[in-house]
Amino acid sequence: MFTILVVDDEANVRHPVCRTLSRLDGVGEVLDAANGLEAMALLKKQKVHLLITDIRMPAADGLQLAEFAREHSPGTDVYVLTGHAEFDYAQKAMEHGVHAYLLKPLSKEKLREVYLASYEKHRRRQESQQVNVIRERALLEKRLHDLLQGVPVPTFDEGLIPLHKKIMLVSFSTKDLRSLGEASVRYFIRECAYEAFSRLGTAAVCLEDRLVTVVLFANQCDQEAWEREVQETSKWMAAKLRIEVKTGYGGATKEIGDLSLMYIRSMISLGFTEITRKESGGESFPPIIRALLGYIHKEYASAANLSDFAQQYQINPNYLSNLFHQETGMTYTHYLTQHRLTEAKKWLRDTNLKIYEVCEKVGYKDPAYFSRIFKTFEGIAPGAYRTVDGTFLT
């Protein structure tokens, strides 16, 4: 809504100007004030796009008002009304952020010209802001998608991450989204999920073929509101799209680097891996992927480096990485981490080894890092996991 404020101590000048402006197309609201102090109070309370003010008034004049607007409402276009006798005085107004001065008496044509010029600036500014918001959101979603796959955010893009006290993640599994038809359907899903979770903080939605993953950056952790939104979104997707929807919680964290583990956790809770699907369906992997899976199971306690394996088999590591993701539904790093933590749970459950010894057994050198990964992935610290007899907590 485009808002105009007219300020003049003479009512017989102020009221006709307000009436003329209020009749113009696109004007949302026309406010008026009898002096600069009244106008300042209005500027404090609400957004004003166009300010037309007399230059000489009691209490606070037009120059003081213009200076106030420049400091407290920098997006407001300011025009001052002046007579020929005040021309030199009006020129000084240009030093106070005034867009232009208008000579009295002011015609309807001139008022309309001033309004249209200000409205066009406002429209262009809004479009620019909308484009920037869309661009920043798209870039944030791209960077978060990388983080989910274990790719760190470049230093120059760290400013994209919203301020937060808690990061929460949930994934919804569906049938292949591509089978739903037009890309507009997938866009509809993303936008509705975005709008729903944005009520709780800054939300980002990442779509894959069968997963809709929501990452929420919140300044307060309202678990009840989060649970309610997750359940309502799941029901809405199932009802509107007429597809089965399952929910996989990734947990909550303060560290942006934990997102990849939270993502794995959500997928595991959904049983969402090609390995599980193919094994249960009797399908087999290409020989090179079977060899790579065997390599992980054998070498997980050491480096288990994908590049070393690729060099041994004389295959491009990037191609192998993409093929592994395509065939298993997980990145190489995700699968390696999952397997290491699965083995760690066995050591914790079946032996009396100390935590740092289990850490070394599964390929981690730093016990603190291992404990953080374990807790993020399992929702419980390694020592606590052992005390509850290895019960997997979600």
Side-chain angles (χ1 to χ4, degrees):
M1 182 174 69
F2 192 86
T3 302
I4 303 173
L5 173 58
V6 179
V7 189
D8 198 305
D9 59 323
E10 298 180 39
N12 62 335
V13 174
R14 185 172 75 249
H15 292 161
V17 170
C18 289
R19 282 196 299 272
T20 299
L21 290 168
S22 65
R23 293 168 183 159
L24 297 175
D25 290 339
V27 175
E29 186 176 13
V30 180
L31 309 171
D32 70 288
N35 59 61
L37 288 182
E38 288 183 13
M40 290 176 189
L42 286 170
L43 287 172
K44 288 179 181 179
K45 289 193 298 184
Q46 69 181 94
K47 187 174 181 62
V48 172
H49 302 97
L50 172 60
L51 169 62
I52 300 175
T53 177
D54 191 16
I55 200 164
R56 289 193 183 276
M57 296 179 294
D61 64 19
L63 296 187
Q64 291 172 301
L65 177 56
E67 180 67 19
F68 180 89
R70 184 173 69 175
E71 293 180 4
H72 297 86
S73 185
T76 301
D77 287 337
V78 181
Y79 288 77
V80 295
L81 288 168
T82 181
H84 286 285
E86 302 161 332
F87 187 75
D88 292 339
Y89 189 56
Q91 286 183 307
K92 295 180 182 178
M94 306 303 288
E95 302 173 4
H96 294 266
V98 171
H99 185 74
Y101 50 84
L102 307 169
L103 290 176
K104 296 179 182 178
L106 196 60
S107 67
K108 292 182 179 180
E109 289 75 15
K110 187 62 178 178
L111 267 178
R112 184 172 182 276
E113 179 186 322
V114 167
Y115 159 68
L116 289 176
S118 182
Y119 183 80
E120 180 62 19
K121 282 180 60 179
H122 166 67
R123 186 187 64 79
R124 289 198 303 266
R125 193 158 46 231
Q126 274 193 318
E127 287 180 352
S128 177
Q129 289 172 348
Q130 290 171 354
V131 168
N132 287 337
V133 167
I134 293 171
R135 182 184 295 117
E136 288 180 6
R137 178 183 159 193
L139 189 52
L140 173 61
E141 289 178 350
K142 171 64 172 66
R143 290 297 175 239
L144 287 178
H145 186 271
D146 290 343
L147 279 168
L148 297 183
Q149 304 301 325
V151 180
V153 174
T155 303
F156 54 80
D157 275 344
E158 288 178 352
L160 288 170
I161 305 302
L163 296 176
H164 61 275
K165 292 183 179 177
K166 189 74 72 175
I167 306 173
M168 309 170 86
L169 182 146
V170 65
S171 292
F172 303 98
S173 74
T174 68
K175 66 179 182 180
D176 192 334
L177 294 177
R178 291 175 299 183
S179 68
L180 297 177
E182 298 293 329
S184 59
V185 176
R186 297 189 290 279
Y187 176 80
F188 178 68
I189 295 171
R190 173 190 276 117
E191 291 307 300
C192 289
Y194 174 79
E195 290 296 329
F197 285 94
S198 289
R199 293 192 286 265
L200 305 179
T202 302
V205 183
C206 299
L207 261 63
E208 294 187 81
D209 291 344
R210 285 174 292 156
L211 273 183
V212 179
T213 299
V214 177
V215 179
L216 178 71
F217 298 89
N219 286 320
Q220 56 182 14
C221 186
D222 188 338
Q223 190 66 30
E224 183 178 342
W226 166 254
E227 292 278 356
R228 183 169 57 251
E229 202 59 65
V230 169
Q231 293 172 11
E232 290 178 359
T233 299
S234 178
K235 290 178 182 177
W236 171 86
M237 289 175 64
K240 292 293 182 183
L241 303 175
R242 297 179 182 178
I243 55 178
E244 182 184 7
V245 176
K246 297 180 180 179
T247 302
Y249 288 92
T253 185
K254 294 181 180 179
E255 303 296 332
I256 191 71
D258 290 340
L259 274 178
S260 178
L261 294 171
M262 294 164 68
Y263 183 55
I264 300 174
R265 190 181 182 200
S266 72
M267 287 194 295
I268 297 302
S269 67
L270 290 167
F272 195 86
T273 67
E274 289 296 315
I275 291 175
T276 302
R277 186 181 70 83
K278 287 192 174 184
E279 288 177 346
S280 62
E283 298 181 56
S284 61
F285 293 105
I288 189 65
I289 298 301
R290 291 203 304 271
L292 183 54
L293 289 170
Y295 171 75
I296 293 172
H297 297 166
K298 180 181 178 182
E299 302 294 339
Y300 72 90
S302 57
N305 192 298
L306 178 65
S307 297
D308 292 343
F309 178 88
Q311 184 176 6
Q312 178 184 346
Y313 281 82
Q314 297 184 338
I315 188 171
N316 184 285
N318 290 330
Y319 168 77
L320 183 59
S321 176
N322 291 333
L323 181 62
F324 187 89
H325 191 191
Q326 177 183 322
E327 290 291 329
T328 68
M330 304 178 74
T331 67
Y332 179 82
T333 302
H334 279 174
Y335 185 81
L336 175 60
T337 301
Q338 177 193 331
H339 186 73
R340 281 174 167 172
L341 294 178
T342 298
E343 293 300 315
K345 287 189 290 183
K346 293 178 182 177
W347 287 108
L348 289 169
R349 186 173 57 242
D350 300 336
T351 75
N352 291 320
L353 292 175
K354 297 183 182 299
I355 301 299
Y356 76 87
E357 292 175 318
V358 173
C359 169
E360 293 174 355
K361 287 282 188 183
V362 296
Y364 292 104
K365 296 180 181 179
D366 183 353
Y369 177 69
F370 165 70
S371 294
R372 185 171 71 82
I373 287 180
F374 191 97
K375 185 174 182 179
T376 301
F377 189 79
E378 299 294 343
I380 188 172
Y385 180 90
R386 170 174 277 163
T387 61
V388 294
D389 197 30
T391 302
F392 182 76
L393 300 183
T394 58

